[in-house]
Structures are given as structure tokens and as C-alpha cells.
Amino acid sequence: MTRTVLLWLAFALAAGAADQATIAQGQKQEQRTCLPCHSLRIVHTNRLSRAGWNKELDKMAGWGAKYTDRDALLEYLVATYGDAKPVAPPEMTADGRK
Amino acid sequence: MQTNRRQIFAALLAAAAARQVIGADGTAIPGKRPMILHNDRPEDLETPVKYFDNWVTPVDAFFVRQHIPRPAAIDAAAYRLNITGLVSKPLQVKLADLEKLPQHTLPATLECTGNGRAFYTPKLPGIQWGRGAVGNAEWSGPRLGDVLKLAGVDTAARFLEIDGADTPVMQTPDFVRSMPMEKALHPATLLALKMNGQSPDIHGFPARLIVPGWDGTSWVKWVVRLTPVAKESGGFFMNPGYRYPKYNLPPGTPARSAELEVIEGMPVKSTLTAPEDQSNAVLGAIAIRGFAWAGENAVERVEVSTDGGARWQNAQLSAQKLPFAWRLFTLNWTPQEPGYYTIMSRATDTAGRVQPIVPPWNPSGYLWNGIDRVGVTVEKV
């Protein structure tokens, strides 16, 4: 997953989107604010427009997510999981039967 | 159930532990075969279409959908079901009391309200379910009506509020639902203690609602409270959650909240299980297979096309024509030439409803029931 994130980051930078420092800062924000209630896969499997991500951040804030740098978080989400980004192939769990 | 501080603390600890495994592939979910992983915590798991060749979906292959963290393991002896609200005597019912009531078994298809969300354009936030957030199981337990009778429901009660043992984190809403009393007292509505004769485990042990023909979100898991009430209730997961626009919207536009309605019965739908999408097959006899279901109705007919929808022929259906449960379909097909074929399936139910080519886009991506399709490349050996 991390490698995929990095690839997309590289792509976003090549396309001249938000600057690298902001995106890195946004990713740190995500680690800090999004994990109490769910893992990040539910975030990273979505592909949303800027307006869509903005709405999600409002929704999560209403439920208790606290941001110190909302702008960077939004830039990171749009640059990495924007609605034009390709959908990653699904991952499978390992066999859990004993 | 409401959260207390200790539970919040436990959730934070779990989050800290999970942080170390974020992004790790190959997480095993106890009791489950390899499943499509949509979320690790809480678990959201989709059944790969290739597991679907039985009328009954095994528990180890059944999809999992959770909104808020799963409750800690419930001790069967300590379990109590609280019946409160508009009743003649509020009660705490034990699992053994539920087991003493007459037990009924009902085959019924359970489908996540958002199954197929990933097929909508423009894209919608939420779990990006493909075709496998659905399954058909044999559910056993007492009628919900018989359980409520233990406490005596007041005639002023119009709705039943249901709470599961799962607890929210921070200000996340609790998962509470309500349904009209008429559906709660329907003889097919059960409080299931068994799924395919086994413990329902992650699917709601020790007791989960079976609301035949209605969307998955109505089938509350880990039921710990039943409250007859005068008016519809239930919080976020009733409103604005799990509502559908009364009038179809242009794709990508918001709904007027006054024009959103609670989802109840599910639409008619079919899913192809074979051939596998984008697979290769050898020129010769090829079995086309799948399943079809229709909410509170039974499936009347499934038609299959092997030429992208130009011509259709009736598939063979499994014999049992039941409301609430799916039917399997098959069509033996012998293509005359090699090449790429688009295979499609279209179900019709006993009320005459037919699957559309384009299901209405809606702001939460619910109720996808478009004609199903797979592509297969037929090759000479």
C-alpha cells in the first residue's frame, strides 16, 4: 500500500499538483487524525473530487475527527485519491480457516 | 449501545495496534476464506463471485459489513436482550429463553444496501462494493413477534427500535434502526440464533434480525435492545443514512433531504458467476451460471444474452420459487465461433419488475441492480 501511495504521489507531483511538502504534511495529518475510528483502507479505496473530499472531512469532523492542518490533508487526499486517479485492484485477505 | 470512556480508551489502543499493520496485505480474518478486503477495522469483506456456486452461501464465505467497531466477544450466559418502551412489562430476556420459543428456519438472501456502489458514475463515497456484498443463508430462530409477545406490545406502538451491541467511537453515531411494527410482526421476520445451522459468529452472535426482502442495514446484528415506539426513530443510520431519493436525480446532484425516503424492500437483480469476467474459454460447450433475487418477491424469469443484449433467451432456474431467497440459473451455451463475447443476465420477478440497463444514480450509491455483464474470450484450442 505504501508503495502505491508513493507512486501516486510521484504522479501527482509530475502533474504539477500541490507541492510535495504540503502533501507529506497532509499524509502525516491523516496518520494523526483518521485512525481512531477505522483503518485507512476505507479512505484509500475511495476516489473523490475536491468537493467530495471536502464533504468527507466535514462529515468526519462532525463525528469527532480533529485537524491541525485541514488544508494540507485535503491537498493530500485530492492529489492521491482524486476522482481521476485509477482504482487500485482489490486486495484479498489470507485464509482465516484453521 | 452507548459508549463509555473505557470503551473509547480500548478503541484508541486498538487503533494504535492497528497502525502497525496498516497496509499489510494478507490479513487473515478468523473463520473466513480469502475475501475481498474493503476495510480492515472494522472489517468490511466482499465475497469473490467464484465462491457463489451453491444455493446456500457458507458462513466462511459470507460477506461482512460493519459501520462501527464490532462488540467484544459476547458471553452467551451473560447475554441479555432488553425489551423496553411501549410494552406492558419491560423484560430482560436470556438466550435460553429465546431458545425455548418455537424455532423457525427461513432461507433468505441478505444484500448490503450499497452492493454494486462501485459501478455508479460519478463515484460515491463509501465502501466500493462490486458484486459480492450479498449471500443466501438459512436462518433459524424465534419469530421476532413471539419475542415481543413476551413483553406485550402496546397498541400505540407503530415502530420497533432495534439496537445492537456494537458501540460507536467518539461522536460517531450509534447503530440504531427502526422499522414499522407491521414488518417486525411479520411471521417471516426472525431473531436468528443460527446461520446455516451454525453459530452466526461475526454475523451477529448470539442474535441477529432477519428482515426478509429488506436491505441489509435493517438486519441488525448482536441485538441487545428492542423498543416499541410511537414514531420512526433511530438516528444517523435511519436519517440521513440509508435513504433513497423519491424522484430520480441527474447524476452527481444532491438530493432534497425532504424527498429522501427510508429504503425497505430490495429491487430485482441477477449476478453472473460463470464464466468469470474477462476470462478465456475453449470453443465448445460453456456453462453460464448465476443467481437472481427480488427482495420480498420471488424470481419469475432470468434471461441471458451472449451478444451484448441484442437477443435474449430464458435460462433454467432452480426449482424452489420462494419469496426472499435467490434462485440459481444456468444456460448451456455453445458458441459457434471464437472471439470476445459479452454475456448479460436480466431477471424479472413475480410482480413484473425487471432489471434496468441503467439503475438510477443516487447520492449514497444504494440499490445498484443494473443488468449484469461479463466478458469472455472464446478461443480455438
Side-chain angles (χ1 to χ4, degrees), chain B residues 85-338:
Chain B
L86 296 173
V87 291
S88 29
K89 45 170 185 332
L91 271 188
Q92 286 213 323
V93 182
K94 292 180 192 165
L95 185 55
D97 301 328
L98 296 175
E99 285 165 346
K100 268 181 230 146
L101 291 170
Q103 305 289 301
H104 301 269
T105 296
L106 182 90
T109 302
L110 167 58
E111 183 183 17
C112 175
T113 325
N115 190 29
R117 175 178 291 121
F119 303 135
Y120 281 111
T121 322
K123 291 194 187 313
L124 296 149
I127 306 286
Q128 300 300 302
W129 299 114
R131 295 146 83 219
V134 61
N136 193 59
E138 291 181 313
W139 311 92
S140 319
R143 289 191 169 126
L144 187 58
D146 288 346
V147 176
L148 289 168
K149 226 181 268 168
L150 296 173
V153 179
D154 196 293
T155 49
R158 289 279 170 275
F159 287 85
L160 178 68
E161 186 178 288
I162 309 108
D163 191 4
D166 43 353
T167 49
V169 184
M170 299 197 216
Q171 289 101 56
T172 312
D174 193 7
F175 194 80
V176 180
R177 293 279 304 179
S178 73
M179 74 173 91
M181 218 55 205
E182 200 189 353
K183 184 69 178 175
L185 297 179
H186 188 284
T189 302
L190 304 180
L191 188 62
L193 312 177
K194 290 264 154 47
M195 177 178 181
N196 300 341
Q198 290 167 241
S199 159
D201 289 336
I202 191 172
H203 301 282
F205 175 85
R208 87 164 293 166
L209 277 195
I210 304 307
V211 192
W214 285 29
D215 63 336
T217 196
S218 307
W219 299 42
V220 180
K221 289 178 274 192
W222 314 290
V223 176
V224 288
R225 181 173 59 80
L226 298 173
T227 307
V229 289
K231 282 197 196 126
E232 187 174 275
S233 60
F236 176 84
F237 293 106
M238 286 299 292
N239 188 11
Y242 292 107
R243 286 186 180 236
Y244 189 88
K246 185 168 178 182
Y247 309 110
N248 292 340
L249 299 163
T253 61
R256 271 184 260 256
S257 50
E259 289 175 1
L260 286 169
E261 298 179 324
V262 179
I263 298 169
E264 298 185 338
M266 294 295 272
V268 60
K269 187 164 172 180
S270 64
T271 295
L272 289 156
T273 57
E276 200 177 328
D277 191 25
Q278 306 312 320
S279 61
N280 297 324
V282 176
L283 189 62
I286 295 171
I288 297 172
R289 289 195 300 272
F291 54 89
W293 67 111
E296 295 183 290
N297 302 326
V299 166
E300 182 66 44
R301 178 166 63 246
V302 174
E303 295 155 290
V304 168
S305 171
T306 55
D307 57 7
R311 282 164 302 171
W312 296 84
Q313 52 186 313
N314 286 335
Q316 263 196 334
L317 286 167
S318 56
Q320 286 201 83
K321 183 178 175 182
L322 302 169
F324 316 132
W326 72 28
R327 294 179 84 178
L328 303 181
F329 65 85
T330 54
L331 183 83
N332 295 320
W333 171 52
T334 311
Q336 297 306 307
E337 290 176 358

Side-chain angles (χ1 to χ4, degrees), chain A residues 1-2 31-32 34-48 55-56 59 61-66 83 85 87 90-98, chain B residues 11-12 15 19 22-42 45 48 60 123-128 169-173 236:
Chain A
M1 180 61 80
T2 318
Q31 286 291 332
R32 213 170 291 149
C34 304
L35 281 165
C37 306
H38 51 68
S39 55
L40 294 181
R41 201 179 300 270
I42 194 175
V43 181
H44 298 174
T45 47
N46 277 278
R47 295 289 177 276
L48 301 173
K55 234 170 116 180
E56 281 301 308
K59 181 175 173 183
W63 288 348
K66 296 232 169 3
D83 55 359
K85 300 287 169 209
V87 177
E91 277 168 36
M92 300 292 294
T93 61
D95 199 335
R97 295 167 298 177
K98 302 248 162 61
Chain B
L12 288 173
R19 195 168 310 200
I22 291 301
D25 296 351
T27 328
I29 311 292
K32 290 284 174 189
R33 303 181 201 187
M35 302 280 282
I36 299 168
L37 181 59
H38 287 287
N39 200 39
D40 316 59
R41 174 180 55 83
L45 311 172
D60 66 13
K123 291 194 187 313
L124 296 149
I127 306 286
Q128 300 300 302
V169 184
M170 299 197 216
Q171 289 101 56
T172 312
F236 176 84

